[in-house]
Amino acid sequence: MMETPDSGHLNSGQPGPPPSGPALTATADYTSVVAFRAVSIAFEGPPVLEDISFSVAPGETRILLGPAGVGKSVLLKLINGLLRPDQGSIQIFGHEIASMREEQLFPLRMRTGMVFQEGALFDSLTVRDNVGYQLIQERVADEEIDRRVHEALRFVELDQTFDLFPDSLSGGMRRRVAIARALIHQPELILYDSPTGGLDPVTSTTIIELVMKERDVYRTPSILVTHRLQDAFTLCTHRFDPEQGGMVPLPKGTTDPNTTFLMLEEGRLIFDGSLHDLLHTDNKFVREFLE
């Protein structure tokens, strides 16, 4: 069961002020936290992503489905500016990033939390220093780092690991620490790259419950990459109940209206819609994937 943190500590998920820095001019009235328009990218061969268009609204969770090798992780790297598209427009918080310089991207990345595949923790650093790594780089005072790390670890129910090293943690605990690290800057967008990959079903459910908690308590918009249908369906058919400290099923026949699906096939976006539409699509590839 999960304890709900005091309100006001972590981000509400609403768009904040535009970041400082040279030549950062946001669209005056943007309605999408993320917006792809006809985005394509290739690496010395056929396109990895081709003509991709979709958006993420404030408070929306988008579940990105597809088998290995269809471009899911590449899409996340494009959002973070770690890769540049060959064609198309990418807007983050109303800022066009496709042609931004690295120093312009940095303040936008500060507004985005990233949970990498398998956690990607530094084994030589304690949990405290892993979670607070960015704050350390920014030379934040030690007392402030300690406070914010404890707060993030309490959110994922791992405050007792503060002084431990990653090699003493289970796989599921390492993923929860990775989520705490992603939350340390109170992000306005969270990117989850296969957060349950390689975990057993029980541990996977614990991670999905954390994703749901962030979604329902703080309404942080997010994109979650997964190939596990059970995780995706659980997010759609359950909600986090602060009073019970855990997730509970939604009434039969209803789904979370702010949790929707995207699906890739060989680098092309072949589905964008609700769980109901996903289950009733005529697309042969989607139906085979679901089965």
Side-chain angles (χ1 to χ4, degrees), residues 1 19 37 42 68 96 195 214 263 268 277 283:
M1 303 293 280
R37 296 292 177 263
E96 175 59 57
E214 179 67 20
M263 189 164 182
R268 297 188 68 90
D277 292 339
N283 185 284

Side-chain angles (χ1 to χ4, degrees), residues 197-210:
L199 300 178
D200 64 84
V202 173
T203 306
S204 295
T205 299
T206 300
I207 300 302
I208 290 302
E209 188 175 44
L210 279 176

Side-chain angles (χ1 to χ4, degrees), residues 187-226:
E188 298 166 52
L189 169 70
I190 303 180
L191 307 176
Y192 300 96
D193 193 356
S194 302
T196 64
L199 300 178
D200 64 84
V202 173
T203 306
S204 295
T205 299
T206 300
I207 300 302
I208 290 302
E209 188 175 44
L210 279 176
V211 174
M212 189 181 304
K213 181 180 180 182
E214 179 67 20
R215 180 196 69 186
D216 294 347
V217 176
Y218 297 109
R219 299 294 176 185
T220 307
S222 65
I223 299 177
L224 183 139
V225 168
T226 185

Side-chain angles (χ1 to χ4, degrees), residues 2 59-65 155 179 190-196 201 203-217 219-241 246-251 254-262 273-276 278-279:
M2 294 184 174
E60 185 176 22
T61 293
R62 311 237 52 189
I63 301 174
L64 180 57
L65 294 173
F155 185 84
I179 292 174
I190 303 180
L191 307 176
Y192 300 96
D193 193 356
S194 302
T196 64
T203 306
S204 295
T205 299
T206 300
I207 300 302
I208 290 302
E209 188 175 44
L210 279 176
V211 174
M212 189 181 304
K213 181 180 180 182
E214 179 67 20
R215 180 196 69 186
D216 294 347
V217 176
R219 299 294 176 185
T220 307
S222 65
I223 299 177
L224 183 139
V225 168
T226 185
H227 63 277
R228 296 173 60 110
L229 291 175
Q230 181 61 45
D231 294 345
F233 292 166
T234 297
L235 277 170
C236 278
T237 59
H238 290 69
R239 66 177 179 87
F240 184 83
D241 186 337
M247 64 180 180
V248 298
L250 292 168
T254 64
T255 59
D256 183 84
N258 293 316
T259 300
T260 54
F261 289 85
L262 302 165
S274 68
L275 176 60
H276 177 272
L278 183 76
L279 295 176

Side-chain angles (χ1 to χ4, degrees), residues 167-187:
D167 62 4
S168 67
L169 307 178
S170 68
M173 293 169 76
R174 291 169 68 97
R175 302 294 172 87
R176 289 156 66 187
V177 169
I179 292 174
R181 180 176 59 188
L183 301 179
I184 198 69
H185 261 298
Q186 304 175 5

Side-chain angles (χ1 to χ4, degrees), residues 51 83 109 128 242-243 261 279 288:
D51 197 29
L83 294 172
R109 288 177 184 152
R128 182 263 191 194
E243 293 184 1
F261 289 85
L279 295 176
E288 288 178 352

